[in-house]
Amino acid sequence: MRAEAQAHIDSIKDALALLRRFLDWDRALRRLDELNARVEDQTLWNDPKAAQAVMRERRRLDEAITATRAIESELNDTAELIEMAEAEGDTEMETDGLAALADLARRAEQDKIKALLAGEADGNDTYIEVNAGAGGTESQDWAGMLSRMYSRWGERHGLKVELIDQHSGEQAGIKSATLLLKGENAYGYAKTESGVHRLVRISPYDSAARRHTSFASVWVYPVVDDNIEVDYNESDLRIDTYRASGAGGQHINTTDSAVRITHIPTGIVVQCQNQRSQHKNKAEAYNQLRARLYERELAIREAAANAENAGKTDIGWGHQIRSYVLQPYQMVKDLRTGVTSSSPSDVLDGDLDAFMAAALSQRVTGETVEVEDVD
């Protein structure tokens, strides 16, 4: 069999193996049988809330199992078709088989990622917070590039992107920004982007055209809906108001409409200045606070359940996840999964799916790879 066909087959089999592992296949089949039996019980709808939860779980499991079986069946049929075409010397049939195999590989990857987005908050909207590291204009410009990258990624996926808060740099870029991305599975896809991002390039701000390294941090946390309770004491909060620094007309720049809330026990700080009204900014800041506290709780649960991943709960300047090199060569490299791209311009324009997919898969398998950073 051609190497091209074998590569597609291997890719599909890897996706199927991950799906089965993620679903815990035998347990999933038993659980689906249990749920089907419950749906037949006429008393189920005596508790509408519980019934809806059962129906959601049943639909998710049924879709995942059906999709996995369909891919397995199509893989076997298509592989047999290609082998028959090769044996008979039918190049047209072989070409059609290869095209079908390539399409099946794409579908298998999509179904794999869809199945991986089954976490408690994966379906929620998400906040993405970007902060410039030390380095003044260089890092602030880099933070601005990252903010744009996530905006473009959201737009590519049909998400609604809102700028919640932004503090501009002195000469270029931003000191910090908070984006709100609204749409299906926004948090599930973006959650693996939290960490430190490193840029290497010839600085446009250096008259000597020297190469500079810049850092910026990204923090991703889910929007908390009304069905999720987040407890905190008002006495643990410090609320400050200040004059908004961004553009927005005379009113927003001449009154203390911006709001900053500090949760003293954890040190979490959230802020909002995009609304003209202090009341609206305060309400949005409270939403962010609830989201940050909830994300913290999710991280603690994940660390407890997956001891090998405990480091994920401590995301600091030492936790670098990806390097972007623009000079002297061009490469983006993920330091957790080893995924690379030779087109940084595409990545910075929002082409992040391959990086997100690999990081999501790694969370399921728990497998780590040794990756050397790029210079």
Side-chain angles (χ1 to χ4, degrees), residues 194-197 216-217 219 311-321:
S194 288
V196 175
H197 297 244
S217 70
W219 192 273
K312 292 176 184 174
T313 63
D314 182 19
I315 298 175
W317 294 112
H319 189 78
Q320 185 178 317
I321 67 168

Side-chain angles (χ1 to χ4, degrees), residues 334-346:
D334 195 286
L335 305 180
R336 303 161 298 176
T337 63
V339 171
T340 63
S341 169
S342 58
S343 181
S345 60
D346 289 341

Side-chain angles (χ1 to χ4, degrees), residues 246-287:
Q250 184 178 5
H251 178 74
I252 197 170
N253 289 311
T254 58
T255 64
D256 291 341
S257 58
V259 176
R260 180 186 299 111
I261 301 178
T262 303
H263 185 250
I264 297 171
T266 61
I268 290 174
V269 180
V270 295
Q271 52 196 12
C272 183
Q273 64 169 336
N274 71 314
Q275 301 289 341
R276 291 178 178 271
S277 161
Q278 183 185 112
H279 175 74
K280 291 182 179 179
N281 281 330
K282 187 174 183 180
E284 179 57 42
Y286 267 107
N287 288 338

Side-chain angles (χ1 to χ4, degrees), residues 188-210:
Y189 281 113
K191 65 184 180 183
T192 59
E193 291 296 295
S194 288
V196 175
H197 297 244
R198 168 179 174 256
L199 173 70
V200 179
R201 65 172 177 176
I202 302 297
S203 171
Y205 306 101
D206 187 337
S207 58
R210 290 171 294 190

